[in-house]
DNA sequence: ATCATTCTTGACTATTTGGTCTAGAATGTC
DNA sequence: GACATTCTAGACCAAATAGTCAAGAATGAT
């Protein structure tokens, strides 16, 4: 009935993820997005709305792709301890090899925009809550197999791990040699 | 010999600290600074140079005032454990009562500008290194009084605490109820 | 093949950005 | 009090910003 889009939405969205991830929200101009996404201004606005809406869509995409992949590591048959160990090893690998120390889009967005934009804050909170829940469920497995003391407050432990994760992602942006930051 | 400044440099610098702290580098316009610092455009440029140089000066000021105050907590006669406990209690209090969840200027700057501006990265690294060293020295006290096992790698422990601090500051920006984030 | 639809394209606009400059006022020294 | 100096004040500028729009091209349904 009409002319179809010439670009793949998810494909260019991934380019937008990369751009915001590397530069942050404020430092990314529409021009940057146009160039990196490889589509023209008009198409961008037609397909994704304004910068703010695109950014929120980008956050969703990041959660569905990057965060999801991490959550899958925790959601396994292995022991919680092993899963959590694997999780952090992957994050560190991710931070190290993810090109120029760009950290994590969620963490970056929390710090840069969490205060000024409630919509961003909400999406960031969702990601963080999902991670915390992933830790919690992993810990629960260990408690059910008596690998973990029944008295331990798993919610507190999960929050503790989430906090450590955020710290690691910040340190990862500071230290050029991330191995130094490890232990 | 010449007309003296009508404003106190440190006083208006503190206003600049507040502004960058609350809004971040990119989101802060010269106009914001002019309004918040209460001096006029020309005076601002004459006294502090351009935006980038002002920001670096602001980082120094923050380190000398805010970070210094925190370091003093660690540098005490009390046991390392007590000092570190006091330290984190203060940080949390600081994050909670510091107005609208603005976190820590160093952490914020690390995330927002660490990648794109080497000068900022350097100043951020200095702050983080100072904090790590503060932890290290506190731990060293406990090792000398045999409160802490001689076998422990204090440098690793200090880095671990530094990482936790960063995580706490990020979580503090996300959670509207910081007590939730505590344990 | 025609037509309605929706795409792409790039020029366009109003606003805001960081930064400069000139004019005039206030000061300390002589 | 006169002068050199350095302040304040705010108009000014070029460039970049986010976002719009109109014209033409490509498509699918008929």
């Amino acid at each position: 009935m009409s002319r179809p889009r010439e670009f793949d939405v998810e494909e260019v969205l991934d380019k937008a993820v990369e751009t915001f991830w590397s530069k942050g929200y404020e430092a990314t101009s529409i021009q940057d997005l146009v160039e990196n996404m490889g589509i023209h201004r008009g198409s961008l606005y037609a397909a994704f709305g304004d910068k703010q809406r695109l950014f929120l869509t980008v956050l969703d995409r990041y959660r569905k792709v990057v965060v999801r992949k991490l959550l899958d590591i925790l959601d396994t048959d292995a022991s919680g301890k092993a899963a959590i160990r694997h999780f952090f090893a992957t994050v560190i690998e991710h931070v190290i090899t993810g090109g120029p120390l760009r950290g994590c889009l969620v963490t970056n967005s929390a710090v840069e925009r969490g205060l000024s934009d409630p919509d961003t804050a909400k999406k960031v909170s969702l990601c963080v809550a999902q991670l915390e829940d992933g830790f919690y469920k992993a810990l629960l497995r260990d408690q059910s197999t008596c690998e973990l003391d029944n008295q331990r407050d798993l919610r507190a432990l999960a929050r503790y791990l989430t906090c450590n994760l955020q710290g690691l992602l910040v340190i990862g942006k500071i230290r050029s040699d991330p191995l130094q930051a490890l232990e």
Side-chain angles (χ1 to χ4, degrees), chain A:
Chain A
M1 204 208 212
S2 77
R3 180 179 171 184
R5 273 208 184 87
E6 288 190 0
F7 57 88
D8 180 74
V9 172
E10 297 205 328
E11 201 171 291
V12 301
L13 200 49
D14 282 336
K15 298 286 182 68
V17 170
E18 294 289 326
T19 309
F20 278 123
W21 194 352
S22 300
K23 310 190 63 166
Y25 181 86
E26 291 285 352
T28 297
S29 68
I30 299 288
Q31 194 54 35
D32 291 329
L33 291 165
V34 164
E35 285 166 16
N36 290 334
M37 293 168 81
I39 60 175
H40 286 258
R41 239 182 161 70
S43 312
L44 192 157
Y45 276 93
F48 303 104
D50 63 12
K51 189 182 176 185
Q52 160 77 1
R53 276 202 18 223
L54 170 59
F55 182 69
L56 294 174
T57 309
V58 157
L59 275 180
D60 281 332
R61 174 80 180 159
Y62 182 87
R63 183 170 53 81
K64 282 180 204 152
V65 176
V66 180
V67 177
R68 165 69 24 213
K69 210 175 285 180
L70 285 174
L71 285 173
D72 285 343
I73 295 176
L74 292 176
D75 186 20
T76 171
D77 288 334
S79 79
K81 193 175 165 185
I84 290 166
R85 196 183 289 275
H86 182 194
F87 178 93
F88 276 99
T90 305
V91 166
I92 289 159
E93 178 69 21
H94 184 78
V95 167
I96 295 173
T97 63
L101 304 181
R102 60 187 174 180
C104 159
L105 181 61
V106 173
T107 306
N108 299 354
S109 305
V111 171
E112 191 191 345
R113 288 183 67 66
L115 187 53
S116 50
D117 173 31
D119 289 327
T120 298
K122 200 168 286 180
K123 291 199 185 295
V124 165
S125 289
L126 176 59
C127 284
V128 174
Q130 284 187 335
L131 285 163
E132 182 186 310
D133 226 54
F135 286 131
Y136 181 78
K137 283 177 182 144
L139 292 168
L140 211 57
R141 285 203 302 278
D142 279 8
Q143 210 169 50
S144 73
T145 62
C146 293
E147 269 189 86
L148 201 62
D149 181 2
N150 262 320
Q151 298 299 310
R152 299 301 285 269
D153 181 347
L154 298 192
R155 187 51 64 180
L157 275 177
R159 281 186 182 143
Y160 170 77
L161 290 170
T162 307
C163 180
N164 264 286
L165 171 63
Q166 298 305 320
L168 210 55
L169 292 166
V170 171
I171 297 289
K173 287 202 79 165
I174 297 172
R175 300 252 179 192
S176 49
D177 175 7
L179 287 174
Q180 262 196 314
L182 251 177
E183 299 200 60

